[in-house]
Amino acid sequence: MSDEDDQVTCAECGFENPLEAERCQNCGADLPAAFAENLLAQVPGQEPFINKARITPAQQVHLRLLGEMLAVEGQALLLGISPRRAGYTTLRIGTSLVLFLVLLFSLLANKPVFTHPSLTSEALEARQLVYALTPGAPVLFVVDYQPGFSGEMTRLGQGVLAHILAQRAYPVFLSTHPTGPAQAEVFITDLGISTGIAYLTPDQYLNLGYLPGGPSGLLSFSQAPQQVMPLTADGNSAWQDPPLQTIQSLSDFSLVLVMTEDPDTARTWIEQAGPQLQGKPLMLLLSAQAEPSLRPYLESGSGQVQGMVSGVSGGVAYQDSAVFTLQSDTSGITWSAYSLGLWVGAILLLLAGLYGVFRLVREQENELSRGDKP
């Protein structure tokens, strides 16, 4: 064995020390061999043998890192909040407070600030579809939105459903979401509060409940509704009432209306149920986020979608153009508060963006100034 094999390199200064040395003879630092021996001595069943072999510089670094990891094992680390993060928290609280105060002031002032939006061409076509309904005409009303979108979708669909009931048509509720049947009941209950009319089932509407199976279940229902959904959400027979006795397929409904915030759900209804309609109209009630991706189905001229109402603005415009008035917003206070909240939110986003740019430029200037110092 050569003399080099009997030496240990100090990781601090690089001095070659004898193998049996525990500290560097040049700088006094602990040598890896002694460090490894002490480290392995803490492990039950291990014998301190490393000082009898040569340790490379890379192994010395690994041993030092392992020792640092074991030294902090089991110690609680205190996580402090950086000043930057604390500043962002204050900014979030301030933004929420500004929005809350603006909306509260708008509601307490009880004066409309913004005029209602006008009816779009696609909403006008949707309104004509509802006007064409005859008394007793069965309408399949699909409630396929998540509970988190109830605020927007309720404001969007209340006017359309009230118009259907004003035409004395017979809405049949259905959902491919497990929460849909309960949301349909809440939806029509809220409509009754807004119109002052008590809607009773099964005299004025029917709730078929939850349709399982995804696209395949939807296709099966389109071909044989009575066999796939024989009972209502309450467990009663669903097809004994006169408006529904003649329903044998999806094409026997006078109108199919799908209310959803999910583009994929709307596409499933268009692709699976659309071919089974045999010319009967399909109408979509969409949230503002889903409308852009589904508009081509309406504008392509293929006839897959005959009517579309989207967003809170579309619902408000539809309500204003129909032959009824909901008692919940006769003076436009709700729409004004909603519009004011959007404007204030947009202004706050712009100010926050400008503040972020200003703060970034300032930090870069501070770094440059610190770098110029000797």
Side-chain angles (χ1 to χ4, degrees):
M1 181 179 295
S2 62
D3 294 340
E4 294 182 356
D5 293 337
D6 296 335
Q7 294 179 343
V8 178
T9 303
C10 178
E12 300 292 337
C13 63
F15 186 77
E16 298 292 339
N17 296 273
L19 185 63
E20 63 275 5
E22 296 184 358
R23 292 183 177 272
C24 178
Q25 296 178 354
N26 182 41
C27 64
D30 291 335
L31 293 178
F35 171 75
E37 180 180 355
N38 296 332
L39 182 66
L40 290 178
Q42 302 174 11
V43 182
Q46 292 288 346
E47 296 293 337
F49 62 91
I50 287 188
N51 59 346
K52 304 183 184 304
R54 183 172 181 239
I55 301 177
T56 64
Q59 293 172 336
Q60 297 173 21
V61 175
H62 294 163
L63 285 171
R64 184 175 297 277
L65 293 176
L66 179 59
E68 293 175 356
M69 293 172 59
L70 291 177
V72 299
E73 184 70 22
Q75 297 181 3
L77 299 179
L78 299 178
L79 300 178
I81 300 178
S82 64
R84 176 181 295 183
R85 185 173 181 181
Y88 286 155
T89 302
T90 304
L91 184 62
R92 294 189 189 99
I93 296 175
T95 302
S96 303
L97 185 61
V98 170
L99 281 173
F100 174 78
L101 292 177
V102 168
L103 295 178
L104 181 63
F105 173 78
S106 177
L107 293 175
L108 293 179
N110 200 29
K111 292 183 179 180
V113 180
F114 296 88
T115 58
H116 281 191
S118 58
L119 195 67
T120 60
S121 58
E122 61 267 16
L124 179 61
E125 295 174 356
R127 187 185 66 170
Q128 294 302 117
L129 294 176
V130 178
Y131 270 126
L133 295 175
T134 58
V139 176
L140 184 62
F141 200 108
V142 181
V143 181
D144 266 356
Y145 59 87
Q146 298 293 338
F149 290 82
S150 297
E152 178 187 9
M153 302 306 293
T154 300
R155 195 71 180 93
L156 163 65
Q158 270 192 348
V160 179
L161 180 57
H163 193 188
I164 292 174
L165 293 170
Q167 292 294 115
R168 291 187 295 172
Y170 193 81
V172 178
F173 291 97
L174 181 69
S175 179
T176 61
H177 291 305
T179 58
Q183 289 176 196
E185 293 293 339
V186 174
F187 182 55
I188 200 166
T189 301
D190 292 341
L191 178 62
I193 296 174
S194 301
T195 58
I197 302 174
Y199 297 103
L200 304 177
T201 179
D203 297 334
Q204 294 169 296
Y205 75 96
L206 190 70
N207 191 349
L208 288 178
Y210 168 57
L211 174 64
S216 60
L218 176 55
L219 179 60
S220 300
F221 176 82
S222 302
Q223 297 172 345
Q226 294 192 18
Q227 285 73 27
V228 175
M229 300 291 291
L231 303 177
T232 66
D234 298 331
N236 301 319
S237 180
W239 308 96
Q240 293 181 353
D241 297 321
L244 304 180
Q245 289 179 352
T246 59
I247 301 295
Q248 299 298 327
S249 66
L250 196 63
S251 61
D252 292 327
F253 286 96
S254 300
L255 173 66
V256 175
L257 192 150
V258 180
M259 184 165 61
T260 183
E261 93 293 346
D262 187 2
D264 293 333
T265 300
R267 290 192 190 97
T268 301
W269 276 95
I270 294 172
E271 295 170 0
Q272 299 295 331
Q276 310 297 326
L277 289 175
Q278 300 179 8
K280 293 298 180 64
L282 175 63
M283 177 176 166
L284 299 179
L285 298 182
L286 303 173
S287 65
Q289 69 174 19
E291 182 263 341
S293 60
L294 294 169
R295 178 172 288 275
Y297 286 101
L298 178 69
E299 298 180 347
S300 63
S302 61
Q304 293 176 291
V305 177
Q306 287 77 25
M308 180 183 296
V309 183
S310 61
V312 175
S313 60
V316 172
Y318 188 100
Q319 174 192 330
D320 291 344
S321 67
V323 295
F324 57 88
T325 301
L326 300 184
Q327 298 177 2
S328 60
D329 193 20
T330 56
S331 59
I333 303 301
T334 305
W335 170 252
S336 293
Y338 172 79
S339 302
L340 185 61
L342 291 180
W343 275 102
V344 173
I347 294 173
L348 289 175
L349 285 176
L350 178 61
L351 294 178
L354 294 176
Y355 172 75
V357 173
F358 170 76
R359 188 167 182 173
L360 179 62
V361 172
R362 187 175 179 180
E363 289 178 354
Q364 291 177 349
E365 291 177 351
N366 293 336
E367 290 178 359
L368 292 175
S369 62
R370 287 194 299 267
D372 294 338
K373 294 181 180 179

